[in-house]
Amino acid sequence: MIPVIDFKSETVLDEIREAYTTVGFAVFTNTLSSYDQMIMAIWFDDMKKFFQLPLDKKKKYSYQSETNLGYSVMGAENVDPTAPSDMKESFNYNNTRMDKSLWPTEIEEFDKVALESIRIADDLTMRILEKFDTILGCGTTLVDAHKEPYNTTRIIHYPAYTGELEPNQMRIGEHSDYGTITLLWQIN
């Protein structure tokens, strides 16, 4: 069972220690301010609008392998090389190396809201790493190592699919994420 941890709980450190020494994963609640919650709600809506665009419009922002940024069509990626292509589409973005030509123009202020979503994620990452530093008793080791983040943020969309599936084909193949921690935002 995945633990649900209230980030403002008086026992948050004990709960994080237990979660990450057993399950290795947790759902955090009460992590964002009202303003940041509003920005993320706008961002989730903007991403839904982006993925609803016609394919030819989304392809204007096609993935660039040299930067790991842009839009990837369904079936373009295969994170598990032993399995068929993934049944998803995605949009990768970044706040320091994103070429202006990769920002969709069909959705008003898309780039500004996207950049705010990175600020929010980076802030939350640092607050989580502060908790890990405290639990590990290592001073500010993790926080110090992440003061200048080099992240790629990825939005993944799993569109409805009714076609034939190849053996072992999944929405996204088995894989390990790179980096120190991965934040997963679930859009309902």
Side-chain angles (χ1 to χ4, degrees):
M1 181 133 173
I2 297 173
V4 177
I5 301 172
D6 182 338
F7 209 69
K8 295 180 181 176
S9 167
E10 291 181 16
T11 60
V12 68
L13 294 177
D14 292 332
E15 293 177 59
I16 291 172
R17 181 183 296 107
E18 175 67 19
Y20 286 89
T21 57
T22 56
V23 179
F25 194 85
V27 172
F28 289 104
T29 62
N30 293 315
T31 58
L32 302 181
S33 69
S34 297
Y35 176 77
D36 288 350
Q37 287 177 31
M38 178 193 69
I39 295 297
M40 292 306 286
I42 293 168
W43 179 234
F44 294 164
D45 188 54
D46 285 353
M47 285 312 306
K48 286 178 187 178
K49 289 176 187 172
F50 173 75
F51 285 118
Q52 290 171 353
L53 290 172
L55 185 58
D56 64 319
K57 291 201 185 285
K58 292 185 284 191
K59 281 185 170 182
K60 290 184 346 188
Y61 313 104
S62 285
Y63 178 78
Q64 298 176 348
S65 60
E66 63 276 5
T67 61
N68 190 30
L69 299 170
Y71 170 72
S72 293
V73 299
M74 190 158 102
E77 188 175 19
N78 186 346
V79 299
D80 178 355
T82 67
S85 62
D86 299 334
M87 302 299 294
K88 65 172 177 37
E89 59 181 339
S90 62
F91 182 77
N92 294 2
Y93 61 105
N94 179 270
N95 60 342
T96 59
R97 61 187 197 283
M98 186 84 166
D99 188 278
K100 286 185 179 266
S101 67
L102 291 176
W103 289 118
T105 57
E106 291 82 359
I107 301 158
E108 188 177 339
E109 296 192 334
F110 185 93
D111 57 339
K112 290 179 180 70
V113 180
L115 293 173
E116 274 291 283
S117 78
I118 293 171
R119 177 197 58 78
I120 292 165
D122 285 350
D123 176 65
L124 178 56
T125 296
M126 293 304 276
R127 291 186 292 128
I128 291 170
L129 292 176
E130 285 172 355
K131 303 273 191 226
F132 287 167
D133 274 341
T134 301
I135 291 165
L136 295 170
C138 59
T140 58
T141 303
L142 291 170
V143 169
D144 290 345
H146 294 83
K147 285 192 175 172
E148 292 185 35
Y150 187 81
N151 301 328
T152 298
T153 303
R154 168 179 264 201
I155 301 295
I156 300 175
H157 178 238
Y158 302 99
Y161 183 75
T162 58
E164 291 289 320
L165 292 176
E166 296 178 47
N168 299 321
Q169 192 164 31
M170 294 181 273
R171 289 303 198 158
I172 186 168
E174 185 177 324
H175 67 283
S176 294
D177 288 351
Y178 46 89
T180 306
I181 64 172
T182 298
L183 298 178
L184 298 174
W185 306 88
Q186 185 173 348
I187 303 172
N188 296 48

